[in-house]
Structures are given as C-alpha cells and as structure tokens.
Amino acid sequence: MMDDDPRAEPERDDRILETMAARLALLLARPLPPALLQPPLDLVMTILKRRHPGAFERLTELPEAEIVVDPIDMPMAFRLRLGGGEMRLSVCRRDDIGEPAALVRGDFAVLLDLMEGRTDGDALFFSRELTVIGDTSPVVALRNAVDGEDIDMLADIAAMLGPFGRLVRPARGAASRARSSLVGLHDLLLGPALRRVEGVERRLTRLEGR
Amino acid sequence: MSKLSYGPVLFNWSPETWRDAHFRIADEAPIDSVQLGEIVCSKRAPFLAPHLPAVIERLQAAGKEVILASPALVTTERERQAVRELIESADLPIEANDIGALPHLAGRPHMVGPLVNVYNEQALAWMAKRGATRVTLPAEIAGPAIATIAAAAQALSVEVEVQVFGRLPLAISARCYHARALGLHKDGCQFVCGQDADGMEVTTLDGEAFLAVNGTQTLSQSYHALLPELGALTGAGVTRFRLWPHACDMVAVARLFRDVLDGHAEPGPALETLRGLLGGAELANGYYHGKQGVAFAAE
Amino acid sequence: MGAFELICPAGTLASLKAAVDAGADSVYCGFRDETNARNFPGLNFSRAEMRQGVEYAHARGKKVFLAANTYAAAGRFAPWKAAVDDAAAIGLDAVILADIGVLDYAAGRHDGLGLHLSVQASASNPDAIRFYQEAFGIRRVVLPRVLTTADIARLNQEVSIETEVFVFGGMCPMAEGRCALSSYVTGLSPNSQGVCSPAEHVRYEERGTQMVSRLGGYTINVFEKDEPAGYPTLCKGRFVARGKTSYLFEEPTSLNAIGMLPELKAAGVVALKIEGRQRGRAYIQQVVSAHRAAIDAFGAGRAVASDRLGAVTEGGRETTGAYTKAWR
C-alpha cells in the first residue's frame, strides 16, 4: 500500500506516536472549544477502522459503553464511546465527565505507554499508577483490542503526514519524553496541526480510493 | 422412588460427636445412603478410625447403604497410600472424590463424588463405562444441565445424585486457611478447625456474611437449599438427593426433605421451617437457577 | 531448546509473536470462546488468527498449543469438539484439555495432535496421572499448583509422561479446576465459562481516598491510597474471620520460581510454564526474555538472576507458592 514500509524503521513508529499524542496534548492544553478538536480525533477513528478492522469490530460489537480516559496531568479528558456498532472519541472537560461506565485515570505518559503496548496494564494497575473506576469490562476489552495490535496504525498516520512525522526527534526512552518534548514542540506544531488534518484526510481518501 | 443421601461429614467434629451424629441418623432419620470418611484433611482421619466399625454396623443394621468416601485432594505419598488401603481393604462401595482413586476402582462398581468434575453427559458416559453406578454432580451445575445429564444417565443405568442441602463445598487447597487465620501453619495446626462445627464464618470488610472456612476447604456461608426444585429434579430423572451434615438437627432436616419429596409438605413452608432449623441462616439456590450460587431466587 | 522447554502465554496474535521473538519454545493460546480458561472480552484467537500464529511460530521452529481446558457444557458439546478438530486442522502441536468428555473425544482422533492434561484437571498424584495416561494417551501433564518440589520429584519417579509446571505469574491458592468461588458470587466459573472474576462483575469504587474492589456486589478488598493491588479474585481478597481482617487465602502476589530452576530440574520437570494469557504484550516480552535468559544461564551453569520481574507482579510481591512446604 505504501511506497516504503514504515514498519521497516521501528524507531520511527515510536516517534510518530509521540508526535500524534503530543499534538493532541498540545491542543488540549489550549483553551480551544472541543469542537475544534473533533477532526483529528475522528481521523484516529477512521484510521483504526481502516487499518485494523478486526480490533475495530471487536470494540464496536461490545455492549454500548462510555469510557472516560483521564490523563491527570492534562487539562482535559477523552471520552470514548464503544459498542452498538460504532466508536467515537471526543474530548471532555473534567467538570463534565458525568457518569461514564468506567473511568481510567493516570499520568499522560502512563496512558501513552499503555496505548503503545510498551507497558503492561495489569502491572500499572497493581502499582496503582493506573486507576480504574466503575465497570471494568469495557476497559479490559479496550485494553485487549489495543494491545493485540501493532502500532503500525500510527506509522500509517506518519506516512500520511509526510514530512510532519519527521519533524520531531525526541530522545528514545520512557514515554515521558513525549511530555517533556511538549514545550519545544509547542510553537512548531500548534499552528499547522489543524490545517494538516485536512491534508491527511485528503491523502486518506486517495489511499482508500486505490 | 427418590432417595436421600447423607454426605460425609466435612467438618472436624470430635470423634464422639461424629459417632453419635451417625448413630442418630441410623436410628431416626429417613436417610437411604450414608457416605463415611474424612475427605477434607488427611490429618484428621486417624481420629475417626476407631469409631468407624461401630458406625458402619449401626447404619447397616438400620438398613442404610454405607459408602466409604475417598479424600478430595491427594498430594502426599501418605495420602495416596491411604486411598489405596481404603479401596483395597473395604468390602463396602467406594465414592471417589479424586481422580486418583479411579484406577484402583476400574471394573468394580463405585460412586463418583461431587468433588470429581462431571459436567456433561460425555464424561458421565465415560464414568459409567468404567463402572460408576452413581455420580453426584458438582454444585455449580444449573437445572437444565442437570436434566440433560440425568436423561443420559437413565439410558446408561447410572444414578444421578444432586446436592440439595448444606453449605456448599466451593474450593479445596493444599493450604490450611483455618491455621493461617490463627497464625499457624498446616504442620502444627493444633487442629483449630475443630473449633467450628459448621466452618469458621468469614465476612466481608463491610460485615456481610460471606464464606465459611473448614481447614483446607472453603464453603459457602449460605445454606444451599433446593426444596421447591425437588419436583423438577425428580421429574428430570434425578433419583438421589444429598444432604451435607451440619451441626443443626439433621434428623429434622432429613424428615423435611423426605416430606416434600413424598408430597406430605409444601415446599414453600418447608423452606421457612428449614430456615428455622438453621437459626435463621441465609439460604441459597442460585446455582440451580443459573445464577450466582449465593443467590436465593424465588421460583 | 535448553535445560527446560519454555511455555509462554499469548492472548493475541501480537503477544504470540512477542513470545516467540522473546525466546519461547512453545506458546499456548485459546480460541475466542468458552472453550478456554481465559475467556476475557477482546482476548484470544479467531481461527484465522490462530492459523497466522501457527505459521509464524512454525516458521521459527516453535510450537503452539491450544488451551481448550474448560469443562464442556451438558447438551452443548459442539464448541469443544470444534476446538479439538480445528486445532488439528490448523496444525497446532498439542491441545491442553481437562474435561474427561473432551479428552475421550480427542483421544487418538488426530495424528500429530498431542494431548496435554491441563492444570484445570487437578491431577495431583501419580495415580490420577496414570489414569489419564492409560485412558486417553496424554503425553504431558501440567501439574496443579498444590505440590511441593519434593512431591513433584517423588511423582516423577513413578510417572512416565512429561511434567510441566508453572514458574511465573498469577497463582491460584486453591486446587485449579476445583474452585467455585467465582461462580458463587458471579454465576460464571473458570470451569464452565472459562472466566474467574469476570470483568463485567468487577467494579472499583472510590471511598474517600480508598479504592474499594467489588465482585458480584461483595466488597472483596479496600486499598489505601498507593497501596499495591492485585487481581479482583476472591482468593486474593481481604476478609474478616474471628474479628481479624486479613488476606485470609493469599496476598496479592505472583508466583516466581525462577530461583528454583535447580530444584525443578532435579525433580524431573521437563517444561516451565508462564501464566498470563490475559496480560499485555509488554509483560509477555519482559517475562519471556527474563526466563529465556534464566534457563540459558542455568543450562550453561551460570548464576540465574531472579530479581528482574518485581514490577509485573500482583501487589508487587512474589512467592514460590506451594513449591515450598511452609506455604501450606
């Protein structure tokens, strides 16, 4: 599908993921209206569905449930709606979390590590770095679906982002590097980020048309 | 004609209490078969041995079928030897409560106890082929599955027995929780399990009644009680019903179940009578109804 | 293969690859249904994924075993029959079974498909093992976690088939396959549905700064802030008996017998098994490589490092479990 296989360079996968996550984090850090954040989040869902139909199906086939993922060191949380044939990711303010089926809480870096499959969710739970409140079953299902996939989804994003994916060269190591690189990335990324989403969508459309 | 069976005493009763309880069953209870033997902890077995002949004799004289129950968890050489001796020396039928008893019973009529996993008609057929004449089903099997197995059993001429009364044996371990709770080890346990005639009560951190510990065994704290369900079980082809021995008036419990089976008592009021005999203890029947075992579902 | 065959868990294709890459000799996994004892939401293999997994492992000279180790439901034998037949068709190397009905079905049916006796069968003595061997031709038994190394050594003197033991991971203090604690409060059991403490019956609640874990509506533990936690199973819960609150059955802890390789070797154990099909691939990668290194070091007569896995253990604690007599 791609001209060059992004998986050939595993370190780049890591960087891409950090880039995406950092960008979202940056966006979150700004007092932007949540509606403006929806396009990149929808894009993540679109890519998941396209690249990982198995995982996507597993998640959409679950009983309907809402999980709030709350990175405690970020100003906002994510709301993930699973089941009932679809899946939707949005952001929510911490004072508007409501009563989701489950709440997953931890440092942004911890949650990022978990998403990357770099760390074991059970171990984080045992050490209390990760908190789960409410019904554990959608959380377990989500974890299993995410963990069962290689992170080439993010490599895909990178390939589609073109040079954007190579702009960042944070040090290799723990996921905290994503957070520590935030300051340096701030000026570089914040402006172009939203415009770039449109470009990515165009590229996605082209790819799907092949 | 459905029969009542009196399971092996699971608790560490004093030898005299154990003997007298069986004498009373022999003399007064409408019980058809009695399982004898220490199946939970091999350390307790020597204490019962001196009274065993008299108890067997008294039960047989009263026309009860006497069955020797083999231990539930066999790990040491000494325990293994005890199983072999039990089976080789006995001229009484044996109930196997560990798979390890089965090779010694091949081709000889025997019973398979509730602590051996028979969950389906395939396993039942296999047991029947090997000489099992009666199989007591594990506690967690629900009504429809019991019916399926009982139907298969009729074709195989195997009798199916179902647990209908008592705290349910839920788990067995190599570790002694009675000793652990009192800061002791299994070696050097001081037989502290003997302090709780129906098991040591375990509550949750919120103070809810929950489990009962009996040495290496963990039981439900609620008393499993299938009385309104007896009709459906009988209709499905279950022919024998097991009562687990407890410190309460077991003769009265046996009479209650007999009366309901014979149509001489209504199941609803009988449940209330049973609750009274247990000093108001919680009853449970969830497993039969496909729910959590602790649930008590009105039919 | 080194001093021991290393048997590793996989709940997903990604984990299977991680296990193979990290040095597993064999990987065990289950189909995505109630035929296996880790029937968790979103976990386990479709037939297509299993085919890919077997291909990946075989291409690297590794084996794949199917865990079909629940007890078949009465009147509904088809899923277990299909699991055995599909394992053979896909080319798995062995099936790990517990139910006598399923064993009877599988015995001698498919050439090249070995039969292993699951830990769920709780065959804890030579007589029980001999019984399964003679009746169904099992070629390996996974020993229940109730035996000491001395028990295992004695057992191996009498048993002619291979013995496999758990070396790392979650540990049942109860005899496996003979525990109805989960079904008592949730209605679902490891034996029948392949789940212990199913996620849909687990809830965590915040009570001030404390975290309360509830199973089937019962409070099974209360953790202070930052106090290490474990799985929400009854056997690792805190209860009150005789007025005293304690971990009555077992603390939140994981088995770690990596330091006992000499004893296990002397006891005649052939294969070492890591628990954790429900764990993430980060766990698989870390735990499998640590064991690969340990087995290789042991095989070469070097010292075995045993202190590298604390972070992935329940409650941050380790035990050698029933392998040492004091545990009892």
Side-chain angles (χ1 to χ4, degrees):
Chain A
M1 193 178 284
M2 301 295 164
D3 297 332
D4 57 334
D5 180 5
R7 278 164 295 187
E9 203 188 319
E11 286 198 22
R12 195 168 68 189
D13 290 17
D14 302 339
R15 286 198 297 275
I16 301 321
L17 178 63
E18 289 149 14
T19 309
M20 267 314 272
R23 183 168 59 121
L24 286 172
L26 279 168
L27 291 169
L28 288 172
R30 306 284 297 190
L32 287 172
L36 272 184
L37 300 172
Q38 204 52 52
L41 296 174
D42 288 346
L43 174 66
V44 168
M45 290 295 106
T46 307
I47 291 171
L48 176 67
K49 187 177 182 176
R50 193 172 64 84
R51 289 286 300 148
H52 301 275
F56 191 82
E57 224 174 271
R58 255 176 272 161
L59 291 170
T60 55
E61 280 169 5
L62 293 170
E64 278 184 63
E66 193 176 280
I67 302 176
V68 167
V69 180
D70 182 11
I72 50 176
D73 45 358
M74 291 285 150
M76 294 184 98
F78 295 91
R79 192 189 298 279
L80 184 62
R81 285 202 181 85
L82 301 173
E86 57 178 346
M87 191 156 77
R88 188 174 157 83
L89 184 66
S90 57
V91 292
C92 65
R93 296 181 194 283
R94 202 158 274 122
D95 57 9
D96 187 31
I97 282 174
E99 286 190 20
L103 178 77
V104 181
R105 190 186 290 150
D107 279 349
F108 178 70
V110 161
L111 294 168
L112 187 60
D113 271 346
L114 194 59
M115 187 170 87
E116 288 177 327
R118 274 178 207 275
T119 184
D120 178 55
D122 294 5
L124 293 173
F125 176 78
F126 297 153
S127 63
R128 308 292 300 280
E129 289 168 77
L130 188 73
T131 301
V132 177
I133 302 294
D135 182 0
T136 58
S137 98
V139 180
V140 170
L142 173 65
R143 197 279 309 262
N144 289 338
V146 171
D147 195 77
E149 297 293 334
D150 290 318
I151 52 166
D152 56 2
M153 170 185 115
L154 296 142
D156 259 9
I157 296 175
M160 286 181 277
L161 288 172
F164 173 78
R166 297 194 183 88
L167 286 175
V168 203
R169 304 217 173 269
R172 208 163 151 65
S176 59
R177 63 207 169 317
R179 189 173 38 178
S180 62
S181 60
L182 290 187
V183 177
L185 290 172
H186 186 278
D187 295 334
L188 185 63
L189 299 184
L190 189 61
L194 287 175
R195 284 197 300 280
R196 204 167 290 279
V197 165
E198 292 164 28
V200 170
E201 276 171 342
R202 276 199 301 278
R203 245 174 284 195
L204 245 186
T205 314
R206 275 209 303 279
L207 275 171
E208 279 167 341
R210 278 185 196 175
Chain B
M1 169 71 179
S2 44
K3 305 252 171 63
L4 285 178
S5 116
Y6 184 82
V9 173
L10 298 173
F11 308 103
N12 184 15
W13 292 353
S14 79
E16 296 71 29
T17 306
W18 183 86
R19 178 198 62 198
D20 295 347
H22 287 98
F23 281 174
R24 189 156 175 253
I25 291 295
D27 299 346
E28 301 174 46
I31 290 280
D32 302 284
S33 51
V34 177
Q35 279 78 213
L36 296 176
E38 173 54 56
I39 73 166
V40 173
C41 180
S42 60
K43 290 181 68 180
R44 303 171 183 168
F47 300 105
L48 301 184
H51 296 293
L52 202 53
V55 166
I56 293 172
E57 196 190 322
R58 183 91 154 239
L59 288 165
Q60 285 181 329
K64 319 279 189 212
E65 179 192 32
V66 178
I67 296 150
L68 299 180
S70 87
L73 180 64
V74 178
T75 59
T76 67
E77 191 51 36
R78 189 173 52 80
E79 289 165 344
R80 194 176 155 222
Q81 187 62 32
V83 173
R84 215 164 27 231
E85 279 167 16
L86 172 76
I87 294 171
E88 281 164 9
S89 63
D91 49 4
L92 293 168
I94 302 286
E95 172 181 283
N97 283 302
D98 179 271
I99 290 278
L102 291 182
H104 308 302
L105 290 164
R108 167 175 163 185
H110 60 271
M111 287 79 175
V112 175
L115 303 176
V116 169
N117 287 332
V118 176
Y119 274 80
N120 49 60
E121 60 277 32
Q122 286 80 5
L124 181 89
W126 200 91
M127 292 292 182
K129 200 170 68 186
R130 294 266 307 191
T133 56
R134 186 183 304 160
V135 174
T136 307
L137 298 180
E140 66 174 21
I141 299 185
I146 293 174
T148 302
I149 296 170
Q154 286 175 317
L156 295 162
S157 301
V158 184
E159 201 181 353
V160 165
E161 178 172 312
V162 168
Q163 307 172 56
V164 294
F165 171 75
R167 287 183 164 169
L168 288 174
L170 297 177
I172 186 94
S173 174
R175 175 180 260 186
C176 178
Y177 303 114
H178 236 115
R180 180 172 156 87
L182 298 171
L184 301 166
H185 278 280
K186 192 176 177 187
D187 298 336
C189 67
Q190 300 170 27
F191 296 94
V192 285
C193 54
Q195 297 167 5
D196 299 287
D198 289 312
M200 175 172 65
E201 309 224 328
V202 175
T203 60
T204 68
L205 296 177
D206 294 336
E208 277 185 283
F210 198 37
L211 299 170
V213 157
N214 171 38
T216 55
Q217 185 179 51
T218 305
L219 302 113
S220 64
Q221 190 169 135
S222 293
Y223 287 75
H224 182 62
L226 300 184
L227 275 165
E229 295 82 0
L230 289 176
L233 284 165
T234 306
V238 175
T239 50
R240 201 172 289 258
F241 300 97
R242 172 167 303 202
L243 312 176
W244 287 110
H246 281 284
C248 63
D249 184 348
M250 286 302 293
V251 170
V253 171
R255 284 186 185 142
L256 198 60
F257 276 81
R258 189 71 261 169
D259 283 349
V260 172
L261 281 170
D262 293 344
H264 299 149
E266 286 300 319
L271 275 175
E272 287 318 304
T273 309
L274 185 63
R275 216 188 295 266
L277 287 169
L278 295 168
E282 290 293 323
L283 303 182
N285 60 15
Y287 278 133
Y288 178 84
H289 297 282
K291 299 189 166 70
Q292 60 271 41
V294 67
F296 185 67
E299 274 207 308
Chain C
M1 199 185 305
F4 294 95
E5 180 181 343
L6 181 60
I7 319 284
C8 304
T12 62
L13 189 54
S15 288
L16 180 148
K17 292 177 179 173
V20 168
D21 295 348
D25 294 308
S26 310
V27 180
Y28 66 105
C29 34
F31 286 132
R32 195 173 299 140
D33 59 24
E34 80 260 57
T35 62
N36 84 90
R38 288 283 185 273
N39 181 22
F40 294 176
L43 203 69
N44 295 317
F45 290 63
S46 68
R47 264 53 175 182
E49 288 165 340
M50 191 66 83
R51 218 166 277 124
Q52 290 175 54
V54 169
E55 208 171 280
Y56 188 87
H58 284 181
R60 288 153 185 80
K62 311 300 179 191
K63 293 178 178 167
V64 184
F65 305 152
L66 179 79
N69 54 348
T70 49
Y71 289 83
R76 215 164 47 77
F77 199 62
W80 286 267
K81 190 169 168 288
V84 169
D85 292 341
D86 292 348
I90 292 170
L92 279 97
D93 301 280
V95 277
I96 308 168
L97 307 176
D99 182 42
I100 283 182
V102 182
L103 279 158
D104 190 34
Y105 174 77
R109 185 166 300 262
H110 300 289
D111 285 342
L113 186 68
L115 302 188
H116 294 186
L117 189 68
S118 170
V119 71
Q120 292 296 112
S122 195
S124 58
N125 55 71
D127 300 312
I129 295 164
R130 214 175 62 228
F131 163 84
Y132 286 106
Q133 184 186 2
E134 286 167 7
F136 309 114
I138 58 162
R139 68 179 185 207
R140 179 180 293 182
V141 55
V142 185
L143 295 177
R145 283 167 273 193
V146 295
L147 301 172
T148 63
T149 47
D151 291 337
I152 296 169
R154 204 172 312 106
L155 184 145
N156 266 322
Q157 286 169 9
E158 286 191 58
V159 168
S160 60
I161 57 170
E162 298 171 343
T163 51
E164 176 176 315
V165 303
F166 279 90
V167 66
F168 190 86
M171 197 198 73
C172 301
M174 309 300 180
E176 297 96 333
R178 309 181 80 177
C179 178
L181 289 176
S182 172
S183 66
Y184 182 62
V185 294
T186 71
L188 302 174
S189 77
N191 281 9
S192 297
Q193 286 81 22
V195 279
C196 180
S197 307
E200 65 265 35
H201 290 272
V202 177
R203 284 194 71 82
Y204 293 103
E205 294 168 11
E206 285 180 317
R207 210 181 263 178
T209 60
Q210 296 175 323
M211 178 180 77
V212 179
S213 66
R214 291 168 69 83
L215 181 67
Y218 286 91
T219 294
I220 61 166
N221 216 331
V222 176
F223 298 98
E224 297 301 328
K225 191 179 184 318
D226 297 331
E227 184 186 2
Y231 282 120
T233 58
L234 282 191
C235 55
K236 309 274 177 65
R238 239 184 302 222
F239 301 104
V240 182
R242 301 259 179 110
K244 203 181 103 200
T245 300
S246 71
Y247 282 113
L248 184 63
F249 304 110
E250 181 63 291
E251 286 87 9
T253 182
S254 293
L255 175 71
N256 185 355
I258 208 166
M260 296 186 78
L261 298 187
E263 290 90 335
L264 293 170
K265 190 75 197 172
V269 169
V270 165
L272 301 179
K273 184 168 217 156
I274 295 168
E275 184 276 345
R277 285 191 282 138
Q278 75 286 5
R279 302 291 289 258
R281 67 198 140 95
Y283 165 95
I284 306 285
Q285 203 282 329
Q286 188 184 351
V287 175
V288 175
S289 19
H291 283 81
R292 177 78 273 156
I295 291 172
D296 290 348
F298 173 72
R302 296 195 307 270
V304 173
S306 62
D307 56 351
R308 295 167 47 183
L309 296 170
V312 297
T313 56
E314 274 188 75
R317 254 186 289 212
E318 298 174 347
T319 174
T320 51
Y323 292 141
T324 46
K325 204 168 182 224
W327 180 83
R328 290 177 175 174

